[in-house]
Amino acid sequence: DGGITQSPKYLFRKEGQNVTLSCEQNLNHDAMYWYRQDPGQGLRLIYYSQIVNDFQKGDIAEGYSVSREKKESFPLTVTSAQKNPTAFYLCASTRGLGDYGYTFGSGTRLTVV
Amino acid sequence: AQSVTQLDSHVSVSEGTPVLLRCNYSSSYSPSLFWYVQHPNKGLQLLLKYTSAATLVKGINGFEAEFKKSETSFHLTKPSAHMSDAAEYFCVVSGSDTGGFKTIFGAGTRLFVKA
């Protein structure tokens, strides 16, 4: 079955470290997204990518970086510049930007220790 | 500018009774509207979507929603709650706006179902 795989499910980071969250899809979708979820705040867009080798900042991109070297993969790096990284991170994809049916991964919970 | 407001942060119902989760939206253009469900520590799953066709939209698991332009509402309903419906529900608005294409998620409504 097609879908989105996020790994790891749980991740612990020490202060000052960079960590990378993996997102892989086998849906042949062009557009991919990273969202951050905090309690009571819904989902906030970090970065999105419409095609390979292209990506755009979302509403809360500071302290994060992404790459899109392959259509299937859209990893997110949480850098030490992100002041409050503890959150639930969700990766999603759509056939194209403006296509309205999001498919979500099962998420990565990042905790700073 | 687009916005979406879920009017209740928590809703509690008894099993077998109706569910009503309320959502109001604001959009400069004709929006598309969605409801997603999220179980604990999981991703979001699409329940249903409105994209300018029939105003009463039926989704999975017996849920439905009615688009009311005059009230700018898109409330989610289900005639009879089941224990497995306990989850968080998100109302989402998508469409073109002055700043380009945007998707806005509501803050979520947590549904509790009592036995």
Side-chain angles (χ1 to χ4, degrees):
Chain A
D1 286 339
I4 295 182
T5 301
Q6 288 188 242
S7 62
K9 190 170 179 64
Y10 299 96
L11 185 58
F12 297 89
R13 190 194 92 170
K14 292 182 179 179
E15 296 275 357
Q17 277 185 338
N18 293 354
V19 291
T20 297
L21 283 59
S22 171
C23 177
E24 303 277 334
Q25 55 102 353
N26 61 2
L27 300 163
N28 200 33
H29 283 177
D30 288 318
M32 297 186 73
Y33 312 79
W34 275 104
Y35 284 93
R36 171 179 171 140
Q37 186 176 26
D38 295 283
Q41 294 192 43
L43 274 66
R44 292 182 290 168
L45 182 64
I46 304 172
Y47 269 97
Y48 66 98
S49 168
Q50 298 181 60
I51 56 171
V52 174
N53 293 322
D54 180 70
F55 47 83
Q56 306 294 329
K57 292 182 179 180
D59 300 317
I60 56 164
E62 185 175 353
Y64 300 96
S65 65
V66 293
S67 63
R68 187 87 186 275
E69 297 176 2
K70 299 186 300 181
K71 186 176 184 177
E72 302 80 15
S73 179
F74 192 42
L76 173 73
T77 296
V78 184
T79 75
S80 57
Q82 170 50 237
K83 299 303 180 191
N84 184 23
T86 295
F88 191 52
Y89 291 87
L90 286 161
C91 180
S93 71
T94 58
R95 284 195 302 269
L97 190 66
D99 178 279
Y100 303 124
Y102 281 87
T103 299
F104 281 89
S106 57
T108 293
R109 186 165 296 281
L110 173 63
T111 303
V112 174
V113 297
Chain B
Q2 289 184 141
S3 67
V4 58
T5 303
Q6 292 184 241
L7 299 170
D8 306 290
S9 60
H10 300 86
V11 170
S12 183
V13 300
S14 296
E15 192 174 23
T17 65
V19 175
L20 170 64
L21 304 183
R22 299 182 295 164
C23 173
N24 285 354
Y25 71 92
S26 172
S27 179
S28 303
Y29 301 92
S30 296
S32 292
L33 295 157
F34 308 81
W35 277 98
Y36 285 84
V37 61
Q38 184 182 32
H39 292 275
N41 292 311
K42 300 288 186 185
L44 278 70
Q45 180 186 16
L46 181 66
L47 276 179
L48 50 81
K49 61 182 178 181
Y50 165 78
T51 55
S52 76
T55 57
L56 182 62
V57 182
K58 294 188 184 298
I60 62 172
N61 301 335
F63 284 94
E64 62 181 38
E66 186 171 8
F67 173 70
K68 292 187 175 180
K69 187 174 181 179
S70 61
E71 299 176 10
T72 61
S73 69
F74 190 58
H75 302 334
L76 182 71
T77 61
K78 183 173 181 178
S80 176
H82 191 273
M83 295 296 289
S84 61
D85 294 328
E88 188 146 25
Y89 292 80
F90 293 92
C91 183
V92 180
V93 59
S94 281
S96 296
D97 206 338
T98 50
F101 183 82
K102 291 278 263 186
T103 295
I104 309 294
F105 285 78
T109 297
R110 184 165 294 279
L111 177 65
F112 297 94
V113 182
K114 299 174 289 187

